[in-house]
Amino acid sequence: MRLLLRQCFACVLVLTQLVLGALCWGKDGHYTVCKIAEGYFEEETIAAVKKLLPESSQGGGDLATFCSWPDEIKHFSQWQWTSSLHYVNTPDYRCNYQYCRDCHDSHMQKDWCVTGAIFNYTRQLMSSSVNSQTLVQYNLTEDLMFLSHYMGDVHQPLHTGFSGDRGGNTVIVHWYNSKTNLHHVWDNMIIESALQTYYNSSLPVMIQSLQAKLTNGWSNDVSSWESCQFNQTACPDQYASESIGLACKYAYRNATPGTTLGDEYFLSRLPIVEKRLAQGGIRLAAILNRIFSANTKLAGA
Ligand code: ADE
Ligand code: ZN
Ligand code: ZN
């Protein structure tokens, strides 16, 4: 009886994973973005993040372990209002992004998309540094976890995809021998294959390799990744514009429905995935550093 119960539980777990599992950079992608960000936190940011994280992590202060939380909750009815905040789509075959045209949910409610969410959570965290009343008004712990997660999502090229195929979710392809969809390839499969092929199936080893590329390979680009036009704290419109550009140039190209994607696609797209994970991390750190340094500047004034 016990065994039967356990098998049943295992079945439910597997089924839940199959049904719920697929919709954003997978857990590994989000963990990577946030781990890279942590390495670029200034002192005030380390302290503020540690204060805001849920109790269980006190002492650890590890933002990365909370970065998939918005994916874990979005299917529960009380959190369903967050489900359109993970992406922004363009009209079919449009390889450019415009906030006013594209940032809405399926009922055309304005601002309900990933770029709107990044503006919103940045503003809420920022206003907590100006006015301590907002500490009561907003749940800053949730704000931090949402902002960190959506910064990852907006860097996944197909989170700014075409609305007709739901960012590649309805484009059925084979990834080597497995039947899947194009969105899942970009959320999970490219990272999974890279882990197996190059990193001994170890996520920390992959993260170390990205950190090394940040200090050697991409080092000249990093300061340009951080900066936002007009001195804004965050510039999600820029990140989404880059994403749809990459979606058109790399994700959708040579990946029509029914295609089998193998070595050629994997080897040419992996550098894009690696760069987007690194950019997401660098920019998340830059935004949090701007927010929390504003905080201490005001406190000292
Ligand atoms: N649902 C609809 N469009 C989506 C997208 N671009 N990414 C993830 N989920 C989606
Ligand atoms: Zn997401
Ligand atoms: Zn996704």
Side-chain angles (χ1 to χ4, degrees):
M1 184 61 196
R2 266 234 169 118
L3 186 64
L4 198 66
L5 262 180
R6 212 182 297 160
Q7 278 171 343
C8 210
F9 183 65
C11 269
V12 170
L13 260 186
V14 169
L15 280 176
T16 324
Q17 280 296 323
L18 284 176
V19 174
L20 306 181
L23 293 172
C24 293
W25 274 139
K27 256 187 168 231
D28 287 348
H30 282 290
Y31 186 87
T32 302
V33 166
C34 288
K35 252 299 163 227
I36 286 173
E38 284 177 15
Y40 287 79
F41 284 175
E42 287 163 5
E43 240 171 72
E44 297 101 315
T45 309
I46 296 172
V49 165
K50 198 167 174 180
K51 241 191 195 163
L52 287 178
L53 286 180
E55 292 275 299
S56 60
S57 76
Q58 287 293 334
D62 188 18
L63 178 64
T65 43
F66 292 93
C67 284
S68 289
W69 174 76
D71 275 344
E72 285 155 21
I73 54 142
K74 71 184 173 191
H75 303 281
F76 297 120
S77 55
Q78 76 267 34
W79 292 105
Q80 241 158 37
W81 59 271
T82 64
S83 63
S84 70
L85 303 181
H86 294 256
Y87 58 88
V88 57
N89 290 326
T90 67
D92 288 356
Y93 314 116
R94 291 280 179 92
C95 294
N96 69 340
Y97 152 90
Q98 293 169 12
Y99 187 90
C100 292
R101 183 191 65 196
D102 302 330
C103 187
H104 52 73
D105 67 5
S106 56
H107 308 290
M108 300 307 281
Q109 195 162 304
K110 250 182 81 49
D111 304 321
W112 285 76
C113 80
V114 69
T115 44
I118 291 170
F119 278 125
N120 174 56
Y121 289 116
T122 302
R123 203 178 311 118
Q124 289 192 14
L125 285 165
M126 201 71 186
S127 72
S128 75
S129 69
V130 180
N131 178 359
S132 59
Q133 288 290 315
T134 52
L135 289 173
V136 183
Q137 208 178 328
Y138 301 128
N139 183 332
L140 299 177
T141 301
E142 284 178 12
D143 290 357
L144 173 66
M145 295 195 289
F146 279 127
L147 177 62
S148 304
H149 179 88
Y150 296 138
M151 277 299 290
D153 279 346
V154 78
H155 282 81
Q156 204 281 50
L158 286 175
H159 276 243
T160 312
F162 301 144
S163 51
D165 60 35
R166 300 176 58 246
N169 271 296
T170 63
V171 178
I172 304 303
V173 293
H174 276 85
W175 180 251
Y176 294 91
N177 294 321
S178 313
K179 192 173 172 180
T180 180
N181 71 65
L182 188 61
H183 190 95
H184 191 69
V185 166
W186 281 78
D187 272 350
N188 298 281
M189 304 298 245
I190 297 176
I191 297 176
E192 248 175 55
S193 295
L195 285 170
Q196 284 166 14
T197 311
Y198 299 112
Y199 301 115
N200 202 16
S201 295
S202 161
L203 190 59
V205 175
M206 186 183 94
I207 294 170
Q208 268 173 21
S209 153
L210 294 180
Q211 286 164 333
K213 284 179 191 166
L214 278 167
T215 48
N216 298 317
W218 300 310
S219 52
N220 292 333
D221 302 338
V222 170
S223 62
S224 73
W225 294 353
E226 283 172 343
S227 61
C228 282
Q229 247 190 339
F230 314 122
N231 259 347
Q232 293 172 98
T233 311
C235 37
D237 289 336
Q238 184 195 321
Y239 319 144
S241 294
E242 293 166 358
S243 274
I244 185 64
L246 295 168
C248 288
K249 195 168 171 193
Y250 296 101
Y252 285 120
R253 187 158 293 168
N254 296 332
T256 46
T259 314
T260 294
L261 306 174
D263 281 350
E264 196 181 317
Y265 192 91
F266 171 51
L267 295 172
S268 53
R269 274 54 171 187
L270 177 59
I272 311 299
V273 168
E274 291 192 335
K275 186 169 168 187
R276 291 306 271 170
L277 293 170
Q279 280 182 323
I282 292 292
R283 286 164 168 170
L284 172 60
I287 293 171
L288 295 179
N289 287 337
R290 283 177 205 130
I291 292 171
F292 295 119
S293 75
N295 208 337
T296 43
K297 260 180 228 146
L298 279 162

